[in-house]
Amino acid sequence: MATGTAARTAGTAGAASTTRTTTTAATATAAEVGAGAAAFGFRWAGALGGRLRRTVLASLVAAAVVVPVSAASSAHTPAPAAVAFAEGAPPQSRYAANRDNLAEAVRMAEHTDRAGRADRLRTMAAAGTAQFLTFDGRGRGRAVEVFGDLESAERIAVLVPSSDTTLDTYERFRSGAVALQQRLQAGHLRAAVVAWLGYDTPRTVSTTVLTVGRADDAAAELEPFLDRLASMAAPGARLSLLCHSYGSVVCARTATGPAVGDVVLFGSPGTGAGSVRELPTAARVWAGRGDADWIADVPHVRLGGLGFAADPVDPAFGARAFAAGAGGHSDYLKPGTRSLDALAAIVLGTAPVEEAGHA
């Protein structure tokens, strides 16, 4: 008991040190971004506005306080290796094997005095009812979870998350998936949602989040996954990609097959492309942004490999607009919102070809 207490005390001290270090690093990063902008000729104070420049730099520093310390330390969290499945393994066998893997990850976290991680993993297990096609508890983690009956589903929404989505912040991602599944079930009983945390999301406080590199890596994982997913569902099932914030960069760089009917970009900073015509998909592409979403203030430029170019809600981009309501950047999948209704309608195929109103 004394040993465990000492370890927790040391961990608390280490966490405080990590917070101080992260805040210092964020301040340095902000300075570097400002210097880099001048070096590349961004001229933010003029062309992009001094107010926006100050907002971006201040956000980098503020985010250091918001990012959980557990996310910084989770890279060294012990867990069993992910289960390897044969090609064509049915969903039920995957669910069962990943439940066992998740239970072992809980035990390993408890044994190494990682109570916070253990609690979060225990919540993910949902008392043994969770349906994971993929689970990897190592480091920041990966997880692909199904809500609904995948094998009978005729309409499937695949949620692709934004930056700083990890096993330590997974419950936030999952709550959106649950809300969407409940909304879909109200209109179509044979619908399912897949929460795809199948890539290493960039940290909000990093230069990675300003580039397409991590998105390209993710697209290489997402493309074959979509093909496998279509084979697990009901014959002729229609898939929709729902892509939030940095996740929209991932989706825009993912080549999709005929099973994917819609690609939906919401809260998007841009895609790295100039228009829908440049995207590697034949699906319908939608874009929407809530009235209170701060992402509207992000400059839509691409210089020196930084930034994501055109604004997807700009009519010139060529995406179909959907009404996203009055919410903010994290509100799109909240129950009772106009945005959730609109996203569900797109998945179910009941949305108008072009919905009037603010995108």
Side-chain angles (χ1 to χ4, degrees), residues 76-98:
H76 305 293
T77 300
V83 180
F85 295 98
E87 189 67 28
Q92 294 301 328
S93 66
R94 293 172 181 264
Y95 299 159
N98 283 317

PDB file of all heavy atoms in Angstrom, residues 76-98:
ATOM      1  N   HIS A  76       3.618   5.572 -22.790  1.00  0.00           N
ATOM      2  CA  HIS A  76       4.338   4.509 -22.104  1.00  0.00           C
ATOM      3  C   HIS A  76       3.396   3.593 -21.326  1.00  0.00           C
ATOM      4  O   HIS A  76       3.854   2.779 -20.525  1.00  0.00           O
ATOM      5  CB  HIS A  76       5.375   5.120 -21.159  1.00  0.00           C
ATOM      6  CG  HIS A  76       6.324   6.065 -21.849  1.00  0.00           C
ATOM      7  ND1 HIS A  76       7.238   5.653 -22.784  1.00  0.00           N
ATOM      8  CD2 HIS A  76       6.462   7.418 -21.756  1.00  0.00           C
ATOM      9  CE1 HIS A  76       7.921   6.694 -23.241  1.00  0.00           C
ATOM     10  NE2 HIS A  76       7.464   7.776 -22.634  1.00  0.00           N
ATOM     11  N   THR A  77       2.090   3.705 -21.557  1.00  0.00           N
ATOM     12  CA  THR A  77       1.137   2.858 -20.858  1.00  0.00           C
ATOM     13  C   THR A  77       1.205   1.439 -21.404  1.00  0.00           C
ATOM     14  O   THR A  77       1.058   1.220 -22.602  1.00  0.00           O
ATOM     15  CB  THR A  77      -0.299   3.399 -21.033  1.00  0.00           C
ATOM     16  OG1 THR A  77      -0.366   4.723 -20.507  1.00  0.00           O
ATOM     17  CG2 THR A  77      -1.301   2.513 -20.300  1.00  0.00           C
ATOM     18  N   PRO A  78       1.425   0.451 -20.554  1.00  0.00           N
ATOM     19  CA  PRO A  78       1.541  -0.936 -21.033  1.00  0.00           C
ATOM     20  C   PRO A  78       0.179  -1.501 -21.413  1.00  0.00           C
ATOM     21  O   PRO A  78      -0.852  -1.162 -20.820  1.00  0.00           O
ATOM     22  CB  PRO A  78       2.122  -1.667 -19.821  1.00  0.00           C
ATOM     23  CG  PRO A  78       1.640  -0.869 -18.643  1.00  0.00           C
ATOM     24  CD  PRO A  78       1.634   0.561 -19.107  1.00  0.00           C
ATOM     25  N   ALA A  79       0.166  -2.372 -22.403  1.00  0.00           N
ATOM     26  CA  ALA A  79      -1.051  -3.033 -22.856  1.00  0.00           C
ATOM     27  C   ALA A  79      -0.649  -4.180 -23.760  1.00  0.00           C
ATOM     28  O   ALA A  79       0.447  -4.178 -24.331  1.00  0.00           O
ATOM     29  CB  ALA A  79      -1.962  -2.057 -23.604  1.00  0.00           C
ATOM     30  N   PRO A  80      -1.510  -5.165 -23.910  1.00  0.00           N
ATOM     31  CA  PRO A  80      -1.185  -6.281 -24.806  1.00  0.00           C
ATOM     32  C   PRO A  80      -1.194  -5.824 -26.265  1.00  0.00           C
ATOM     33  O   PRO A  80      -1.811  -4.819 -26.612  1.00  0.00           O
ATOM     34  CB  PRO A  80      -2.315  -7.283 -24.537  1.00  0.00           C
ATOM     35  CG  PRO A  80      -3.451  -6.440 -24.045  1.00  0.00           C
ATOM     36  CD  PRO A  80      -2.817  -5.337 -23.253  1.00  0.00           C
ATOM     37  N   ALA A  81      -0.500  -6.571 -27.105  1.00  0.00           N
ATOM     38  CA  ALA A  81      -0.518  -6.272 -28.537  1.00  0.00           C
ATOM     39  C   ALA A  81      -1.924  -6.455 -29.088  1.00  0.00           C
ATOM     40  O   ALA A  81      -2.731  -7.229 -28.560  1.00  0.00           O
ATOM     41  CB  ALA A  81       0.459  -7.202 -29.263  1.00  0.00           C
ATOM     42  N   ALA A  82      -2.235  -5.703 -30.132  1.00  0.00           N
ATOM     43  CA  ALA A  82      -3.537  -5.826 -30.768  1.00  0.00           C
ATOM     44  C   ALA A  82      -3.704  -7.230 -31.357  1.00  0.00           C
ATOM     45  O   ALA A  82      -2.735  -7.862 -31.789  1.00  0.00           O
ATOM     46  CB  ALA A  82      -3.688  -4.779 -31.861  1.00  0.00           C
ATOM     47  N   VAL A  83      -4.944  -7.715 -31.360  1.00  0.00           N
ATOM     48  CA  VAL A  83      -5.229  -9.042 -31.910  1.00  0.00           C
ATOM     49  C   VAL A  83      -5.126  -8.982 -33.435  1.00  0.00           C
ATOM     50  O   VAL A  83      -5.641  -8.066 -34.077  1.00  0.00           O
ATOM     51  CB  VAL A  83      -6.638  -9.511 -31.509  1.00  0.00           C
ATOM     52  CG1 VAL A  83      -6.927 -10.888 -32.097  1.00  0.00           C
ATOM     53  CG2 VAL A  83      -6.780  -9.528 -29.992  1.00  0.00           C
ATOM     54  N   ALA A  84      -4.463  -9.960 -34.012  1.00  0.00           N
ATOM     55  CA  ALA A  84      -4.371 -10.067 -35.468  1.00  0.00           C
ATOM     56  C   ALA A  84      -5.460 -11.014 -35.961  1.00  0.00           C
ATOM     57  O   ALA A  84      -5.617 -12.122 -35.427  1.00  0.00           O
ATOM     58  CB  ALA A  84      -3.002 -10.590 -35.870  1.00  0.00           C
ATOM     59  N   PHE A  85      -6.213 -10.572 -36.959  1.00  0.00           N
ATOM     60  CA  PHE A  85      -7.317 -11.374 -37.477  1.00  0.00           C
ATOM     61  C   PHE A  85      -7.035 -11.815 -38.909  1.00  0.00           C
ATOM     62  O   PHE A  85      -6.404 -11.093 -39.685  1.00  0.00           O
ATOM     63  CB  PHE A  85      -8.622 -10.570 -37.463  1.00  0.00           C
ATOM     64  CG  PHE A  85      -9.102 -10.211 -36.089  1.00  0.00           C
ATOM     65  CD1 PHE A  85      -8.842  -8.953 -35.563  1.00  0.00           C
ATOM     66  CD2 PHE A  85      -9.792 -11.128 -35.324  1.00  0.00           C
ATOM     67  CE1 PHE A  85      -9.281  -8.615 -34.292  1.00  0.00           C
ATOM     68  CE2 PHE A  85     -10.231 -10.808 -34.047  1.00  0.00           C
ATOM     69  CZ  PHE A  85      -9.973  -9.544 -33.526  1.00  0.00           C
ATOM     70  N   ALA A  86      -7.546 -12.987 -39.254  1.00  0.00           N
ATOM     71  CA  ALA A  86      -7.461 -13.455 -40.630  1.00  0.00           C
ATOM     72  C   ALA A  86      -8.391 -12.610 -41.493  1.00  0.00           C
ATOM     73  O   ALA A  86      -9.418 -12.100 -41.024  1.00  0.00           O
ATOM     74  CB  ALA A  86      -7.866 -14.927 -40.712  1.00  0.00           C
ATOM     75  N   GLU A  87      -8.030 -12.445 -42.754  1.00  0.00           N
ATOM     76  CA  GLU A  87      -8.880 -11.707 -43.681  1.00  0.00           C
ATOM     77  C   GLU A  87     -10.245 -12.393 -43.750  1.00  0.00           C
ATOM     78  O   GLU A  87     -10.347 -13.616 -43.871  1.00  0.00           O
ATOM     79  CB  GLU A  87      -8.238 -11.694 -45.079  1.00  0.00           C
ATOM     80  CG  GLU A  87      -8.936 -10.772 -46.061  1.00  0.00           C
ATOM     81  CD  GLU A  87      -8.784  -9.302 -45.687  1.00  0.00           C
ATOM     82  OE1 GLU A  87      -7.769  -8.960 -45.050  1.00  0.00           O
ATOM     83  OE2 GLU A  87      -9.674  -8.522 -46.041  1.00  0.00           O
ATOM     84  N   GLY A  88     -11.292 -11.606 -43.630  1.00  0.00           N
ATOM     85  CA  GLY A  88     -12.639 -12.166 -43.690  1.00  0.00           C
ATOM     86  C   GLY A  88     -13.189 -12.622 -42.358  1.00  0.00           C
ATOM     87  O   GLY A  88     -14.289 -13.194 -42.304  1.00  0.00           O
ATOM     88  N   ALA A  89     -12.445 -12.405 -41.254  1.00  0.00           N
ATOM     89  CA  ALA A  89     -12.954 -12.788 -39.931  1.00  0.00           C
ATOM     90  C   ALA A  89     -14.258 -12.051 -39.654  1.00  0.00           C
ATOM     91  O   ALA A  89     -14.343 -10.836 -39.855  1.00  0.00           O
ATOM     92  CB  ALA A  89     -11.929 -12.463 -38.860  1.00  0.00           C
ATOM     93  N   PRO A  90     -15.310 -12.750 -39.226  1.00  0.00           N
ATOM     94  CA  PRO A  90     -16.614 -12.114 -39.027  1.00  0.00           C
ATOM     95  C   PRO A  90     -16.609 -11.157 -37.839  1.00  0.00           C
ATOM     96  O   PRO A  90     -15.778 -11.299 -36.922  1.00  0.00           O
ATOM     97  CB  PRO A  90     -17.547 -13.300 -38.779  1.00  0.00           C
ATOM     98  CG  PRO A  90     -16.660 -14.379 -38.246  1.00  0.00           C
ATOM     99  CD  PRO A  90     -15.346 -14.193 -38.924  1.00  0.00           C
ATOM    100  N   PRO A  91     -17.521 -10.201 -37.834  1.00  0.00           N
ATOM    101  CA  PRO A  91     -17.557  -9.216 -36.736  1.00  0.00           C
ATOM    102  C   PRO A  91     -17.647  -9.840 -35.350  1.00  0.00           C
ATOM    103  O   PRO A  91     -16.954  -9.399 -34.431  1.00  0.00           O
ATOM    104  CB  PRO A  91     -18.796  -8.381 -37.066  1.00  0.00           C
ATOM    105  CG  PRO A  91     -18.940  -8.479 -38.546  1.00  0.00           C
ATOM    106  CD  PRO A  91     -18.507  -9.875 -38.883  1.00  0.00           C
ATOM    107  N   GLN A  92     -18.479 -10.871 -35.178  1.00  0.00           N
ATOM    108  CA  GLN A  92     -18.687 -11.420 -33.837  1.00  0.00           C
ATOM    109  C   GLN A  92     -17.399 -11.989 -33.251  1.00  0.00           C
ATOM    110  O   GLN A  92     -17.144 -11.855 -32.054  1.00  0.00           O
ATOM    111  CB  GLN A  92     -19.777 -12.497 -33.878  1.00  0.00           C
ATOM    112  CG  GLN A  92     -21.165 -11.969 -34.217  1.00  0.00           C
ATOM    113  CD  GLN A  92     -21.661 -10.919 -33.236  1.00  0.00           C
ATOM    114  OE1 GLN A  92     -21.331 -10.962 -32.034  1.00  0.00           O
ATOM    115  NE2 GLN A  92     -22.442  -9.964 -33.719  1.00  0.00           N
ATOM    116  N   SER A  93     -16.565 -12.614 -34.079  1.00  0.00           N
ATOM    117  CA  SER A  93     -15.309 -13.156 -33.557  1.00  0.00           C
ATOM    118  C   SER A  93     -14.350 -12.029 -33.199  1.00  0.00           C
ATOM    119  O   SER A  93     -13.582 -12.129 -32.230  1.00  0.00           O
ATOM    120  CB  SER A  93     -14.666 -14.090 -34.589  1.00  0.00           C
ATOM    121  OG  SER A  93     -14.249 -13.380 -35.744  1.00  0.00           O
ATOM    122  N   ARG A  94     -14.400 -10.949 -33.959  1.00  0.00           N
ATOM    123  CA  ARG A  94     -13.576  -9.789 -33.650  1.00  0.00           C
ATOM    124  C   ARG A  94     -14.022  -9.146 -32.335  1.00  0.00           C
ATOM    125  O   ARG A  94     -13.184  -8.769 -31.508  1.00  0.00           O
ATOM    126  CB  ARG A  94     -13.651  -8.771 -34.789  1.00  0.00           C
ATOM    127  CG  ARG A  94     -13.022  -9.251 -36.088  1.00  0.00           C
ATOM    128  CD  ARG A  94     -13.303  -8.285 -37.234  1.00  0.00           C
ATOM    129  NE  ARG A  94     -12.735  -8.737 -38.493  1.00  0.00           N
ATOM    130  CZ  ARG A  94     -11.565  -8.363 -38.983  1.00  0.00           C
ATOM    131  NH1 ARG A  94     -10.808  -7.506 -38.311  1.00  0.00           N
ATOM    132  NH2 ARG A  94     -11.139  -8.827 -40.142  1.00  0.00           N
ATOM    133  N   TYR A  95     -15.320  -9.011 -32.157  1.00  0.00           N
ATOM    134  CA  TYR A  95     -15.833  -8.418 -30.916  1.00  0.00           C
ATOM    135  C   TYR A  95     -15.351  -9.213 -29.700  1.00  0.00           C
ATOM    136  O   TYR A  95     -14.880  -8.635 -28.712  1.00  0.00           O
ATOM    137  CB  TYR A  95     -17.368  -8.399 -30.918  1.00  0.00           C
ATOM    138  CG  TYR A  95     -18.021  -7.612 -32.019  1.00  0.00           C
ATOM    139  CD1 TYR A  95     -19.343  -7.868 -32.384  1.00  0.00           C
ATOM    140  CD2 TYR A  95     -17.349  -6.605 -32.719  1.00  0.00           C
ATOM    141  CE1 TYR A  95     -19.975  -7.155 -33.379  1.00  0.00           C
ATOM    142  CE2 TYR A  95     -17.966  -5.889 -33.729  1.00  0.00           C
ATOM    143  CZ  TYR A  95     -19.300  -6.172 -34.057  1.00  0.00           C
ATOM    144  OH  TYR A  95     -19.915  -5.468 -35.060  1.00  0.00           O
ATOM    145  N   ALA A  96     -15.499 -10.534 -29.773  1.00  0.00           N
ATOM    146  CA  ALA A  96     -15.144 -11.387 -28.632  1.00  0.00           C
ATOM    147  C   ALA A  96     -13.655 -11.292 -28.307  1.00  0.00           C
ATOM    148  O   ALA A  96     -13.265 -11.141 -27.134  1.00  0.00           O
ATOM    149  CB  ALA A  96     -15.540 -12.826 -28.929  1.00  0.00           C
ATOM    150  N   ALA A  97     -12.811 -11.373 -29.329  1.00  0.00           N
ATOM    151  CA  ALA A  97     -11.370 -11.324 -29.096  1.00  0.00           C
ATOM    152  C   ALA A  97     -10.944  -9.968 -28.544  1.00  0.00           C
ATOM    153  O   ALA A  97     -10.073  -9.890 -27.655  1.00  0.00           O
ATOM    154  CB  ALA A  97     -10.628 -11.627 -30.400  1.00  0.00           C
ATOM    155  N   ASN A  98     -11.549  -8.911 -29.029  1.00  0.00           N
ATOM    156  CA  ASN A  98     -11.167  -7.574 -28.551  1.00  0.00           C
ATOM    157  C   ASN A  98     -11.705  -7.281 -27.156  1.00  0.00           C
ATOM    158  O   ASN A  98     -11.103  -6.487 -26.426  1.00  0.00           O
ATOM    159  CB  ASN A  98     -11.626  -6.514 -29.552  1.00  0.00           C
ATOM    160  CG  ASN A  98     -10.713  -6.455 -30.766  1.00  0.00           C
ATOM    161  OD1 ASN A  98      -9.499  -6.509 -30.631  1.00  0.00           O
ATOM    162  ND2 ASN A  98     -11.299  -6.369 -31.958  1.00  0.00           N
TER     163      ASN A  98
END
